[in-house]
Amino acid sequence: MAPEARAKIQADGALVFPPVPHLPFDPYRGLLYSPDQLFAGLDADGYETTPDARAYEWFQRTKADGDVLASMLRSIHDDAISDALDELLVGTRVVGVMGGHAMARDTDAYAGAARLGRELARTGLTVATGGGPGAMEAANLGAYAAPHRDEMLDEALELLAKTPSFSPSVSDWVRAALEVRDRWPGGDASVGIPTWFYGHEPPNAFACHIAKYFANATREDGLLARCNAGVIFLPGAAGTVQEVFDNATPNYYESRGEPTPMVLVDRTHWTERLPAWPLLQALAQERPMETRIALVDSVTEVPGALARLSG
């Protein structure tokens, strides 16, 4: 902005947010991220030099130093991301798929989550996940595969299985995903909503639209609040358990209106390993949300359960 223009509008009472040099992100952005934006420079110099990795490094340096400017920039950025996400999802039916980040690409569980994401996308739903690796990536991959022939997903899973985890090399893990996208372009769009709070977990490249936040609490609440067609909970650990009850609370109080469907997958996991289901059942008893929760044994049962709960 020209100095005289800035002086004029400030004299008229406007507040001008200045450009901030040397930031690895744009706090005033108007659109969500794409995988290509977050992973720019990966091929030349590796993941450590990408905007995603540099934003995480900046966050690690500034999150606890008490600097007001850094706090303001994070807040403005996250508010801009929320606005862009709302604009993207206007008029869409969004189904959330939650699950653990540790699910490896070469497992049957990963393949099942991918096939679930594909089936949900083929019914016209927009798939939204936490945007990270594991079960989240699998669901975004499945949504991406929806317009392709069925064999495409099997071939993609075989290719990805050669790099089963983002550890020890995030670069190799991302490159495998980008190779799938290059080999089969034109996949369906889905949404990933990750956070730099867990920046050691990279975002996955199969979510075409990435709403990445600095504040994890804003990210978690925003992700679940936008899942107006329900949420599916695949096996996971502490983060997934937190999401179960973050979603159950507004359903219990009906603070977002009519309760939305919740489908927990894997009876043994949710009744024995991490017995969230009995508590969820107890909370739901004699409340409207009682008819909006279900526990199923496998991902193949999810579409039917979701349709039943929605009806």
Side-chain angles (χ1 to χ4, degrees):
M1 184 180 294
E4 58 272 17
R6 175 176 176 149
K8 170 65 169 66
I9 63 172
Q10 285 181 315
D12 289 343
L15 176 65
V16 177
F17 290 93
V20 182
H22 312 304
L23 279 180
F25 63 95
D26 176 10
Y28 314 127
R29 63 181 301 112
L31 299 171
L32 300 182
Y33 294 99
S34 70
D36 290 341
Q37 289 172 337
L38 288 176
F39 296 130
L42 178 84
D43 287 339
D45 301 305
Y47 174 71
E48 291 72 19
T49 65
T50 64
D52 185 63
R54 290 189 293 113
Y56 177 53
E57 188 275 333
W58 177 88
F59 179 48
Q60 289 295 96
R61 279 192 291 106
T62 62
K63 67 180 181 180
D65 64 6
D67 182 72
V68 171
L69 177 61
S71 298
M72 182 190 74
L73 291 171
R74 290 195 297 269
S75 296
I76 291 173
H77 170 274
D78 286 1
D79 186 67
I81 290 292
S82 291
D83 284 348
L85 186 58
D86 285 338
E87 290 170 3
L88 175 73
L89 297 178
V90 168
T92 62
R93 295 282 290 160
V94 182
V95 61
V97 181
M98 311 297 145
H101 72 274
M103 185 185 287
R105 287 169 165 175
D106 58 354
T107 62
D108 290 341
Y110 184 96
R115 293 188 180 103
L116 172 62
R118 181 177 64 183
E119 185 162 354
L120 294 170
R122 284 178 172 176
T123 66
L125 294 169
T126 296
V127 173
T129 77
M136 296 171 278
E137 182 190 53
N140 288 127
L141 165 64
Y144 184 88
H148 293 278
R149 57 188 176 85
D150 287 353
E151 294 79 8
M152 172 266 172
L153 183 55
D154 295 331
E155 294 169 19
L157 289 168
E158 185 176 347
L159 191 155
L160 292 169
K162 298 174 184 177
T163 314
S165 174
F166 62 93
S167 177
S169 172
V170 173
S171 297
D172 290 345
W173 180 82
V174 175
R175 286 188 184 108
L178 296 178
E179 183 179 346
V180 169
R181 287 180 46 203
D182 289 343
R183 189 175 297 189
W184 293 282
D188 260 7
S190 64
V191 178
I193 307 181
T195 173
W196 280 295
F197 184 80
Y198 297 132
H200 58 284
E201 299 173 15
N204 78 73
F206 295 111
C208 299
H209 305 289
I210 301 177
K212 193 153 191 179
Y213 287 87
F214 288 105
N216 186 51
T218 304
R219 167 252 188 175
E220 287 277 12
D221 185 68
L223 168 57
L224 295 166
R226 289 171 174 86
C227 294
N228 53 15
V231 184
I232 297 148
F233 299 92
L234 301 174
T240 311
V241 172
Q242 177 182 340
E243 288 162 345
V244 169
F245 292 104
D246 278 349
N247 197 58
T249 301
N251 280 347
Y252 179 90
Y253 289 112
E254 299 182 67
S255 54
R256 294 179 186 144
E258 184 178 341
T260 52
M262 298 177 65
V263 183
L264 277 62
V265 182
D266 191 328
R267 191 175 303 274
T268 300
H269 184 84
W270 294 116
T271 61
E272 296 179 21
R273 293 192 194 101
L274 295 174
W277 174 251
L279 179 52
L280 185 62
Q281 268 191 312
L283 280 171
Q285 190 171 4
E286 298 181 357
R287 302 187 75 89
M289 70 178 287
E290 188 172 21
T291 60
R292 292 289 191 270
I293 63 172
L295 174 66
V296 299
D297 290 309
S298 71
V299 290
T300 60
E301 301 173 72
V302 169
L306 191 62
R308 185 176 69 252
L309 298 180
S310 299

